[in-house]
Amino acid sequence: MDYKEQLIAFFKDVDARCILGLSIDCVIFGFYDNQLKVLLLRWKQSDEWGLPGGFIYKKESVDVAAQRILEERTGIKELFLQQFHTFGEEVRYNRAEISRKLNWPDNSTRLWPDRTVSIGYFALVDFMKVTPTADFLTDEYRWLDVEKLPPLLFDHNHIIEVALKTLRVQLSWQPVGYNLLPEKFTMPELQRLYETILNRPLDPRNFSKKMRALGIIERLEEQRKGGAFKSPYLFRFDKEKYKKALQEGHLSFS
Amino acid sequence: MDYKEQLIAFFKDVDARCILGLSIDCVIFGFYDNQLKVLLLRWKQSDEWGLPGGFIYKKESVDVAAQRILEERTGIKELFLQQFHTFGEEVRYNRAEISRKLNWPDNSTRLWPDRTVSIGYFALVDFMKVTPTADFLTDEYRWLDVEKLPPLLFDHNHIIEVALKTLRVQLSWQPVGYNLLPEKFTMPELQRLYETILNRPLDPRNFSKKMRALGIIERLEEQRKGGAFKSPYLFRFDKEKYKKALQEGHLSFS
């Protein structure tokens, strides 16, 4: 089968096995090179980028479907995916436009329903531990800087915006850095992560004071070697205190 | 038309005009008589309770549908409804059981799809300002204490649990009391609201100190008269500071 035949077979299979009019999109965030990045795919034989997503089987919970879809499309297993918002605007795509942009045969989106509501899930991953592999619909995966995204297919720019907003809110009551940073990190790296998510500069002294007052990170004896400047100390999250902070939320009324 | 004929006509209309397999459920919280309450309906000619909900038109965004459904079913207009979670378990209802419990004709759920995914919205309202009116599917509305709910239809107990959990999380970063309390309230009333949402007792002195330190409430010169005890002072939210706190989240990194 060539790609076009594969596509038609795929949509027929979706039509037979899946709930119609409902999809899942996954926003996978990673932090690397002082940038917050999101995992995007380039659709086969096109220059179009989008989020990994897919459809829910008729007999499958949406949470299970999200895990399966992410694994099928990227090879990434057992990630903590969090549902954050359902996207139900009346018009989220134009079938003819999608077919044209993706160089699909004219009748390939024929089976698509008039509209599709999409349930958004997101995850924060340690960039170094995740290596996505492309499925048959995808030419390649790339981690793109959330601050410099190209126009994506469907409403995927909007979906990423809402995921980022959710992340910003969660930052105010839970220490999200734990999943995004490597085990050991410097204070400037942690600050840069917070600045990226909040999208504004923070004062280094106040930040350091605040983070240490939360009591969820500990300073190690090791220092980061090799830079041009004074070697900065390394820190890591205190897993027990981190868990406790998560359970309590930030504002404790004990 | 009698009720059974009305029902059949209603489901036919839903089938023709609405997206199949997707619904909306609304969790409306109010605070009264020192209890957090949720607005529930008793289905026509039955003893079964559930949330007000409904279906999305083929050409209508889900946010607009949520407002319309709430207004059609309860008469409540222009409420700030917040989407909080989408419920997509494989089995959320048993058609035959629903028909039996609601004394519906045997074939009334015939047109229902095998499963329905439901998008949950919630709102916090000033109990005194909202008077729900029942639609043709409903015998009555009642505000029931969230701590003493009967077994509800569908997965509505679970939906309310998740809405409560969302409220608990939001309490840690935004002052949710503004929408739930009357304009003027006492510190014990505010504390009781927080205790109800958090589901645990709080120390009165610490609570008062913490709330006043947030700087979002102001003490009035008035006192609540008529009780058996020393008249407590009345407070109200400082609307400007409240808005600012909402925008910033609790954990400010300025």
Side-chain angles (χ1 to χ4, degrees):
Chain A
M1 281 203 286
D2 68 7
Y3 180 50
K4 290 186 180 181
E5 287 165 348
Q6 272 184 308
L7 259 183
I8 302 284
F10 171 74
F11 286 127
K12 273 190 186 156
D13 187 56
V14 165
D15 192 52
R17 295 172 68 184
C18 295
I19 300 179
L20 295 181
L22 200 60
S23 68
I24 282 172
D25 283 301
C26 301
V27 184
I28 312 299
F29 289 116
F31 191 70
Y32 182 71
D33 202 14
N34 272 342
Q35 292 169 352
L36 185 67
K37 293 174 188 280
V38 60
L39 185 65
L40 292 167
L41 59 85
R42 186 165 57 73
W43 284 83
K44 200 95 161 187
Q45 300 175 4
S46 84
D47 296 319
E48 299 292 334
W49 294 85
L51 294 166
F55 302 94
I56 303 145
Y57 290 148
K58 286 176 183 171
K59 291 184 184 293
E60 181 184 44
S61 82
V62 296
D63 287 349
V64 169
Q67 296 285 350
R68 175 185 56 76
I69 288 164
L70 188 70
E71 186 174 343
E72 282 175 4
R73 299 219 58 183
T74 70
I76 301 172
K77 286 181 197 183
E78 288 169 29
L79 210 56
F80 176 66
L81 282 169
Q82 194 185 338
Q83 195 199 104
F84 68 96
H85 193 76
T86 292
F87 298 87
E89 288 307 305
E90 191 192 324
V91 180
R92 294 186 51 246
Y93 55 76
N94 174 313
R95 281 176 287 199
E97 190 189 320
I98 298 284
S99 284
R100 183 176 51 70
K101 282 189 172 173
L102 296 181
N103 302 307
W104 285 354
D106 285 343
N107 60 352
S108 55
T109 56
R110 181 178 42 93
L111 291 171
W112 288 20
D114 288 333
R115 67 185 276 196
T116 299
V117 170
S118 193
I119 307 172
Y121 281 80
F122 82 100
L124 311 177
V125 303
D126 178 351
F127 177 89
M128 299 301 283
K129 288 189 185 152
V130 165
T131 313
T133 34
D135 67 341
F136 89 96
L137 292 160
T138 306
D139 261 344
E140 61 166 326
Y141 272 98
R142 241 187 249 177
W143 290 95
L144 296 184
D145 183 348
V146 293
E147 285 167 357
K148 292 170 196 158
L149 294 179
L152 306 174
L153 279 186
F154 307 98
D155 55 353
H156 289 183
N157 291 87
H158 173 61
I159 290 179
I160 293 168
E161 264 308 305
V162 176
L164 262 174
K165 209 177 144 188
T166 308
L167 198 54
R168 272 180 203 132
V169 165
Q170 292 195 354
L171 199 65
S172 72
W173 63 274
Q174 53 171 251
V176 299
Y178 185 71
N179 299 295
L180 284 166
L181 291 168
E183 194 197 340
K184 297 171 188 178
F185 49 85
T186 66
M187 192 58 84
E189 284 165 354
L190 184 63
Q191 181 175 339
R192 178 69 193 133
L193 170 63
Y194 272 65
E195 287 179 330
T196 307
I197 295 174
L198 293 169
N199 199 26
R200 58 190 167 93
L202 303 170
D203 175 75
R205 279 190 61 185
N206 282 347
F207 179 78
S208 174
K209 209 172 132 190
K210 199 133 198 171
M211 288 312 296
R212 298 182 73 169
L214 283 175
I216 53 167
I217 58 172
E218 54 179 335
R219 200 179 84 172
L220 304 171
E221 287 311 306
E222 294 170 68
Q223 285 163 292
R224 171 75 48 83
K225 306 284 187 198
F229 302 99
K230 182 168 162 276
S231 304
Y233 276 100
L234 288 169
F235 291 80
R236 73 172 165 212
F237 284 103
D238 181 323
K239 207 173 174 180
E240 287 309 309
K241 287 185 183 159
Y242 171 83
K243 269 191 197 163
K244 203 160 166 273
L246 273 186
Q247 280 157 6
E248 287 176 359
H250 174 70
L251 198 67
S252 160
F253 279 97
S254 57
Chain B
M1 280 203 286
D2 69 5
Y3 179 50
K4 291 186 177 179
E5 286 164 349
Q6 272 184 310
L7 259 182
I8 301 285
F10 171 74
F11 286 127
K12 273 191 186 157
D13 187 57
V14 165
D15 192 52
R17 295 172 70 185
C18 295
I19 300 179
L20 294 182
L22 201 59
S23 68
I24 282 172
D25 283 301
C26 301
V27 184
I28 312 300
F29 288 116
F31 191 70
Y32 182 70
D33 202 13
N34 272 343
Q35 292 169 352
L36 186 66
K37 292 173 188 281
V38 60
L39 185 64
L40 292 168
L41 59 83
R42 186 165 56 74
W43 284 85
K44 199 94 159 189
Q45 301 174 4
S46 84
D47 296 319
E48 298 291 334
W49 294 85
L51 294 166
F55 303 94
I56 304 145
Y57 290 148
K58 287 177 182 170
K59 291 184 184 294
E60 180 184 46
S61 82
V62 296
D63 287 349
V64 169
Q67 296 285 349
R68 176 185 55 76
I69 288 164
L70 188 70
E71 186 174 342
E72 282 176 3
R73 300 219 56 184
T74 71
I76 301 172
K77 286 183 198 182
E78 288 169 29
L79 211 55
F80 176 65
L81 281 170
Q82 194 185 337
Q83 193 199 105
F84 68 96
H85 192 77
T86 293
F87 297 87
E89 288 306 306
E90 191 193 325
V91 180
R92 295 186 49 248
Y93 56 75
N94 174 311
R95 281 177 288 198
E97 191 189 320
I98 299 284
S99 284
R100 184 175 50 73
K101 282 189 172 172
L102 296 182
N103 301 307
W104 285 353
D106 285 344
N107 61 350
S108 55
T109 56
R110 180 178 43 93
L111 292 170
W112 288 19
D114 287 335
R115 66 186 276 196
T116 299
V117 170
S118 193
I119 308 172
Y121 282 79
F122 82 100
L124 310 178
V125 303
D126 178 351
F127 177 88
M128 299 301 284
K129 287 188 186 150
V130 165
T131 314
T133 33
D135 68 341
F136 88 96
L137 291 160
T138 306
D139 261 343
E140 61 166 326
Y141 271 99
R142 243 187 247 176
W143 291 94
L144 296 185
D145 183 348
V146 293
E147 286 167 357
K148 292 170 197 160
L149 293 179
L152 307 173
L153 279 186
F154 306 100
D155 55 352
H156 290 183
N157 291 87
H158 173 62
I159 290 179
I160 293 168
E161 264 309 304
V162 176
L164 262 174
K165 210 178 143 187
T166 308
L167 198 54
R168 272 179 205 132
V169 165
Q170 292 195 354
L171 200 65
S172 72
W173 63 273
Q174 52 171 254
V176 298
Y178 186 70
N179 299 296
L180 284 168
L181 290 169
E183 195 197 339
K184 297 171 187 177
F185 48 86
T186 65
M187 192 58 83
E189 283 165 354
L190 185 63
Q191 181 176 338
R192 177 69 192 133
L193 169 63
Y194 272 65
E195 287 178 331
T196 306
I197 295 174
L198 294 169
N199 200 26
R200 57 190 167 94
L202 303 171
D203 175 74
R205 279 190 60 185
N206 282 348
F207 179 79
S208 174
K209 209 173 134 192
K210 199 133 198 170
M211 287 313 295
R212 296 182 74 168
L214 282 174
I216 53 168
I217 56 172
E218 54 179 335
R219 200 178 83 170
L220 304 171
E221 287 310 307
E222 296 170 67
Q223 283 163 293
R224 170 74 48 84
K225 307 284 187 200
F229 302 97
K230 183 170 162 271
S231 304
Y233 275 102
L234 288 168
F235 291 80
R236 72 170 166 216
F237 284 103
D238 181 323
K239 207 174 173 179
E240 286 310 308
K241 287 186 183 158
Y242 171 84
K243 269 191 197 164
K244 202 160 166 271
L246 273 186
Q247 280 157 7
E248 286 177 0
H250 175 71
L251 198 67
S252 161
F253 280 97
S254 58

